[in-house]
Amino acid sequence: MTAEVPDRFPDGFLWGVATSAYQIEGAVDEDGRGESIWDRFSHTPGLVRGGDTGDVACDHYHRWAEDLELIADLGVGLYRFSVAWPRILPAGSGRPEQRGIDFYTRLVDRLLEHGIAPMVTLDHWDLPQALQDAGGWPARDTAARFAEYADVMFRALGDRVRFWVTHNEPWMVAAIGHRLGLHAPGVKDFRASLRASHHLLLSHGMAVQAYRATGLSAPMGIVLNLFQTVPHTEGEADAEAAIASDGYTNRWYLDPLFRGRYPDDTWGLFQRVGGPIDFIEPGDLLTIAAPMDFLGVNFYSPRIVRAAGSGEASEFGWVVERPHPGARVTDAGWEVDPDAFTALLVRLHRDYDPVPLYITENGAICDDVIGSDGSVHDPDRISYLDGHIRACARAIQAGVELRGYCAWSLMDNFEWSDGYSKRFGVVYVDYPTQRRIPKTSYGFLQRVVAANGPP
Ligand code: FCB
């Protein structure tokens, strides 16, 4: 399926790389930064592999200028990064910390000097711990705090930021952070996760409204991690399980954002499992559906689902399966399926006909090592990126309005509960020395950008 794709993307297509604050910055106690839920989580013994924390990470807070040269040398026109909320509002509300604002101002200004459009994510999971102590995302008040923080950033950088993203992957925060407890804040409570998902969406809408009120006009959107959900077998039970699971991961977010309502089937399922959904107030859905300008899509791997067998433990009635035997997988065991990526994008276009799309993350974990000649060869990552970039080209051919693609990630970084054990970067980070070594995939990406398509 990889032949016959156009070797050029549309003029003006934006190529980029992505990072997030907690994963790269370090400097957690500097310049007035407050504690975040990821500081608290990673410092709790047993929650992150190897006891790793983001205390130092890639030391990007000090090495940002050097890192920016690496981005510029890629030739990209887009850099997606996030602002650490606790650097701006260390206590979650109150007076903004100017030193935090200054850091991002320097970064944005330097990007613009290089002709790189800054895409700023306001919330990439590092909620101020003070807000967690006040109830976190399950508490409605957190939505108002987010809108206030967003407004601070709009006023500080709104004249220069080219794209705003409210949240990164609310499903991960709600489901993995509040239902399974594998990410911060480590809560295991389905009702809490439902409340969290609603307040994340509500706060997105409130921030969009706050942005419109400023009169600024850069595109504003949200980033969702969407799963192309594939039934394990062709049987009817697995097909139904896949639809239900799609409601859980995808439609619970897409429908309110683009249709102003939660999907009926998922609503019914969630009430059966979690009890009455009684925390939605009149007007909330209208706020959530406030028109936005683009949707950011993060894609890594399809989600293979089958119906749970009788007696098999499953809260919702489905089970997420391992890749099919013989399927291509990354070093982390995630199935590699570029066709699923095309299918997802085409489905978004068909079912939602939403706003223009940007791929805000896509990439692969590889067991990278420094070779005896000092270089890092990552052919599997190149093959992954090549396949998924071609998948984007096929989606564009099919009519999808896709405007940009960001590889995850610029450099290896703190991979949440996996700590530093998983490498996603096109630049290798030697953590003991903080030396950056561009991998062969970095050169590949340079060639993609230069050719405006697969080289
Ligand atoms: C996404 C996150 C990102 C990174 C990648 C691998 O879920 O948004 O921060 O960890 O996965």
Side-chain angles (χ1 to χ4, degrees):
M1 270 284 301
T2 49
E4 303 301 318
V5 295
D7 57 0
R8 294 289 174 274
F9 276 62
D11 285 347
F13 190 86
L14 279 175
W15 298 99
V17 282
T19 62
S20 89
Y22 189 72
Q23 295 180 276
I24 64 169
E25 284 181 0
V28 291
D29 288 325
E30 282 180 50
D31 291 344
R33 179 187 179 280
E35 189 189 11
S36 81
I37 57 171
W38 269 96
D39 296 298
R40 180 69 64 92
F41 187 83
S42 65
H43 278 271
T44 308
L47 297 183
V48 173
R49 195 153 155 185
D52 291 345
T53 73
D55 288 3
V56 178
C58 306
D59 196 29
H60 172 76
Y61 193 73
H62 300 116
R63 295 168 194 262
W64 65 273
E66 178 196 341
D67 292 337
L68 227 128
E69 292 305 314
L70 283 167
I71 300 170
D73 286 347
L74 276 168
V76 295
L78 183 65
Y79 175 46
R80 174 178 179 236
F81 64 96
S82 80
V83 170
W85 186 349
R87 280 197 198 285
I88 308 300
L89 291 159
S93 60
R95 226 175 109 219
E97 169 54 74
Q98 191 58 41
R99 289 170 294 178
I101 293 176
D102 290 345
F103 172 71
Y104 297 105
T105 306
R106 286 193 290 275
L107 196 67
V108 164
D109 284 347
R110 188 72 64 86
L111 286 167
L112 293 174
E113 278 165 33
H114 281 293
I116 300 169
M119 179 184 270
V120 175
T121 308
L122 291 165
D123 164 38
H124 202 123
W125 304 353
D126 44 0
L127 182 76
Q129 181 63 39
L131 295 183
Q132 182 63 33
D133 296 341
W137 288 114
R140 190 175 173 93
D141 194 49
T142 303
R145 299 288 82 75
F146 178 72
E148 279 169 18
Y149 154 59
D151 198 50
V152 169
M153 293 313 300
F154 299 151
R155 288 173 200 283
L157 289 177
D159 57 337
R160 282 162 279 185
V161 166
R162 296 289 184 262
F163 297 89
W164 290 103
V165 169
T166 52
H167 295 291
N168 179 69
E169 304 189 349
W171 179 79
M172 286 289 291
V173 176
I176 310 301
H178 290 82
R179 177 175 165 247
L180 300 178
L182 300 171
H183 275 192
V187 172
K188 293 181 189 163
D189 175 349
F190 179 53
R191 282 190 66 75
S193 89
L194 277 181
R195 295 178 65 98
S197 71
H198 182 66
H199 297 142
L200 282 155
L201 290 171
L202 180 65
S203 71
H204 156 83
M206 291 167 74
V208 172
Q209 289 175 341
Y211 185 68
R212 301 300 184 215
T214 63
L216 292 160
S217 59
M220 151 71 73
I222 191 168
V223 165
L224 301 180
N225 58 318
L226 296 170
F227 294 92
Q228 179 63 14
T229 309
V230 184
H232 185 52
T233 67
E234 285 173 7
E236 205 175 302
D238 285 358
E240 278 171 17
I243 290 170
S245 171
D246 176 73
Y248 171 61
T249 59
N250 301 331
R251 289 180 288 119
W252 191 253
Y253 299 87
L254 288 165
D255 283 21
L257 288 166
F258 292 108
R259 296 179 177 162
R261 52 177 303 167
Y262 283 108
D264 290 339
D265 61 331
T266 315
W267 180 280
L269 174 70
F270 285 177
Q271 292 215 110
R272 275 200 302 284
V273 174
I277 300 177
D278 51 9
F279 44 83
I280 297 176
E281 295 190 6
D284 282 4
L285 269 306
L286 212 61
T287 302
I288 292 172
M292 56 178 152
D293 307 301
F294 70 95
L295 172 66
V297 176
N298 291 354
F299 179 87
Y300 290 90
S301 185
R303 184 172 153 103
I304 303 158
V305 171
R306 68 170 169 78
S310 56
E312 194 170 15
S314 162
E315 202 171 15
F316 296 133
W318 69 71
V319 176
V320 178
E321 267 290 331
R322 291 236 263 264
H324 294 101
R328 267 179 67 209
V329 293
T330 67
D331 287 337
W334 298 2
E335 182 158 347
V336 179
D337 186 354
D339 288 342
F341 191 21
T342 308
L344 171 73
L345 297 173
V346 169
R347 178 264 177 117
L348 285 173
H349 177 66
R350 186 197 62 209
D351 289 0
Y352 293 92
D353 192 15
V355 283
L357 305 181
Y358 288 81
I359 305 308
T360 35
E361 288 180 26
N362 176 238
I365 293 171
C366 300
D367 293 337
D368 302 310
V369 286
I370 307 179
S372 50
D373 62 349
S375 58
V376 181
H377 293 287
D378 54 347
D380 291 346
R381 181 172 292 107
I382 293 177
S383 146
Y384 180 96
L385 294 175
D386 184 73
H388 286 77
I389 287 169
R390 288 173 195 277
C392 289
R394 291 197 294 281
I396 293 172
Q397 265 186 336
V400 175
E401 202 182 333
L402 180 62
R403 300 244 181 111
Y405 172 95
C406 286
W408 183 270
S409 176
L410 166 67
M411 56 188 165
D412 301 333
N413 57 48
F414 176 80
E415 180 46 30
W416 308 114
S417 48
D418 281 321
Y420 298 99
S421 68
K422 299 277 188 277
R423 294 181 180 271
F424 268 103
V426 295
V427 173
Y428 186 93
V429 177
D430 181 46
Y431 293 108
T433 63
Q434 289 293 347
R435 200 154 62 92
R436 277 59 168 149
I437 306 171
K439 306 177 191 177
T440 35
S441 58
Y442 178 93
F444 169 77
L445 206 56
Q446 271 177 326
R447 293 195 297 282
V448 169
V449 179
N452 194 25

